Amino acid sequence: MEAGLRPLVAALSAATVVLAGCANLGGGFHAGFRGAVQVLLVSVFSGPSATTGAYLQNSLQVEIDGLNAAGGLGGYRLDLLTADDAQQPDRAVELVREHLLDGGVRLVVGPSSSEAVTATRPVVEQSHVPTCLPAPVADDAVAGTTLTFRTTPSQRDRLTALLTYITARTQIRRIGLIASGDGDPDGVARLLGQLAPALGVEYQGEVSVATAADPAAAVREMASRDVQGVVLAGDPSVAADAVQAAQAIGLRAGMQVFGLDELGTSAFLRRGGDAASGTVFVSPTRSYLVDAPDSDSGEAYRTFVAGVRGRYGSAAGGEIRGWPEAADCVLQWASAVRAAGTLDGGRVARAWERLRIDRERSAQGVEERFAPDRHEVLGADGLYVYQWAKQADRFRLLQLRGP
């Protein structure tokens, strides 16, 4: 055991394996911390996707400030560091290596893409620092890891939930994929090809906007394949351009649009405008955007939403400027540290694998269970299916399916 952590072990010896709810953000910081522990967020803070990093930072900061206001983690103050990987894997590796050198970083959140996660994996594992991923990445990028945890479901579970909804609740049986970039970095095309036939859907292949002449060309190509529905994957701005193109050329009415988390963002709404209405997507809970009683979500989720909205305000469509999936990274890690009685990365990871969190204490408002062979917090049955609907002058979500 690290000598400097003996006071932490003593302070945490009575802790149980439960997750504290989102702490009250009121009150001042406690004096007399034993030292500082750093949380490193590696994400994209520049370019068209800069809001991703900003929302993640907001979410982490709310939870870190709450823990510090309550005395820190075992008497240690938590500090948040941020690094812009600009969605470049080589840059992500450089940043992670640089920040892990002095041993002060005890949790890494990110980086921002599947390629960057794969590239930084050897550095993180060599440093024995737990990593949390609050954004979707390819399942292959985290296969077999012992230190990496996802507060979001796997891509396989996401697409399983979407296809299950399509077959159970619609008459659509032929779908295609419009991707925002070349290749298949997140594995969406490959998984659709694998999962669709088993769930009674014909997959008609994919088209990349990067290789098509423009979004309209990609939409026309999908229409020529006689699809009834199209899945949009990747950059939400590109997805919005595809939706607008479908409406402009008269294909929107006959082509249902589906997607994953990125279609639930303000970036998609701002760019898609009225054409975004009617799009259906799968994601973790976004119940604060649904006209439903607050009692439908857990206490910790409601506290998080109120905390982020109160501090950072709301974006287009009423979206808060934060993600509960990111908040869970801090809350789960803190709970694992308490359970392990140490900041040693390997022991914290093993405690993380044993966490059992009820819905009232989860920032996502769902029951969360981990296991040594399952480092994803949610499965297909823990996801929601939503549809954007414009009501008067604002967008709201219709919940089509819940856990």
Side-chain angles (χ1 to χ4, degrees):
M1 178 185 301
E2 300 158 310
L5 291 176
R6 290 193 181 97
L8 175 62
V9 175
L12 299 177
S13 60
T16 56
V17 188
V18 295
L19 186 65
C22 300
N24 189 334
L25 297 181
F29 291 113
H30 290 223
F33 287 112
R34 292 190 176 107
V37 172
Q38 297 170 340
V39 175
L40 172 65
L41 169 61
V42 182
S43 188
V44 53
F45 290 89
S46 56
S49 301
T51 55
T52 296
Y55 283 18
L56 294 176
Q57 180 178 356
N58 295 347
S59 307
L60 300 178
Q61 195 66 63
V62 162
E63 301 307 334
I64 285 173
D65 287 351
L67 288 169
N68 283 338
L73 185 57
Y76 286 81
R77 186 185 74 248
L78 301 179
D79 293 336
L80 178 62
L81 306 177
T82 62
D84 182 9
D85 66 15
Q87 295 183 309
Q88 299 175 11
D90 291 344
R91 179 172 172 78
V93 171
E94 177 184 342
L95 290 168
V96 170
R97 182 181 289 116
E98 174 188 339
H99 282 90
L100 293 184
L101 277 177
D102 65 2
V105 172
R106 297 296 183 158
L107 172 68
V108 176
V109 179
S112 65
S113 67
S114 299
E115 300 97 324
V117 169
T118 299
T120 56
R121 180 171 167 176
V123 178
V124 171
E125 292 186 345
Q126 185 177 6
S127 302
H128 303 290
V129 175
T131 302
C132 184
L133 302 175
V137 297
D139 297 346
D140 291 346
V142 296
T145 58
T146 58
L147 293 169
T148 300
F149 296 83
R150 290 195 279 187
T151 54
T152 56
S154 68
Q155 293 287 54
R156 176 176 290 274
D157 283 339
R158 275 185 165 83
L159 292 170
T160 296
L162 178 60
L163 291 169
T164 299
Y165 168 79
I166 290 173
T167 56
R169 303 286 292 275
T170 79
Q171 299 300 311
I172 293 170
R173 294 298 179 266
R174 295 187 304 280
I175 65 168
L177 170 68
I178 295 179
S180 61
D182 290 326
D184 189 27
D186 296 332
V188 175
R190 176 175 56 82
L191 286 169
L192 278 175
Q194 292 174 359
L195 296 170
L199 292 170
V201 179
E202 297 178 22
Y203 179 53
Q204 303 298 314
E206 61 276 357
V207 175
S208 169
V209 172
T211 55
D214 53 44
V219 172
R220 287 192 180 94
E221 173 60 28
M222 280 288 102
S224 73
R225 300 181 190 185
D226 197 27
V227 301
Q228 299 165 304
V230 60
V231 177
L232 303 179
D235 189 324
S237 296
V238 176
D241 289 345
V243 170
Q244 283 199 324
Q247 181 166 290
I249 60 181
L251 294 173
R252 182 71 177 85
M255 185 183 293
Q256 177 61 55
V257 176
F258 300 99
L260 305 179
D261 302 53
E262 49 265 56
L263 267 61
T265 63
S266 59
F268 176 72
L269 281 185
R270 281 196 307 268
R271 191 152 179 149
D274 288 349
S277 184
T279 56
V280 173
F281 66 94
V282 170
S283 82
T285 182
R286 295 291 182 265
S287 66
Y288 70 91
L289 285 170
V290 178
D291 290 324
D294 285 344
S295 59
D296 288 352
S297 55
E299 178 183 357
Y301 175 78
R302 295 194 301 272
T303 302
F304 169 76
V305 170
V308 173
R309 180 178 282 149
R311 185 182 297 192
Y312 303 107
S314 299
E319 179 192 30
I320 60 170
R321 302 179 191 273
W323 295 357
E325 300 94 317
D328 258 351
C329 281
V330 171
L331 295 176
Q332 290 172 10
W333 169 73
S335 185
V337 170
R338 293 188 185 100
T342 178
L343 287 166
D344 175 77
R347 292 173 63 183
V348 170
R350 289 190 291 275
W352 205 326
E353 291 175 337
R354 298 191 296 271
L355 289 182
R356 300 291 184 269
I357 303 165
D358 65 56
R359 69 185 300 270
E360 292 300 319
R361 292 171 174 165
S362 158
Q364 299 190 69
V366 295
E367 290 189 0
E368 299 176 349
R369 301 289 185 267
F370 291 94
D373 61 347
R374 183 174 179 83
H375 283 201
E376 295 85 30
V377 71
L378 295 175
D381 58 355
L383 289 167
Y384 292 78
V385 180
Y386 295 114
Q387 183 177 48
W388 282 116
K390 193 165 187 182
Q391 301 171 351
D393 60 346
R394 66 170 186 161
F395 278 97
R396 298 297 289 175
L397 288 178
L398 304 177
Q399 182 178 312
L400 304 180
R401 173 187 176 275

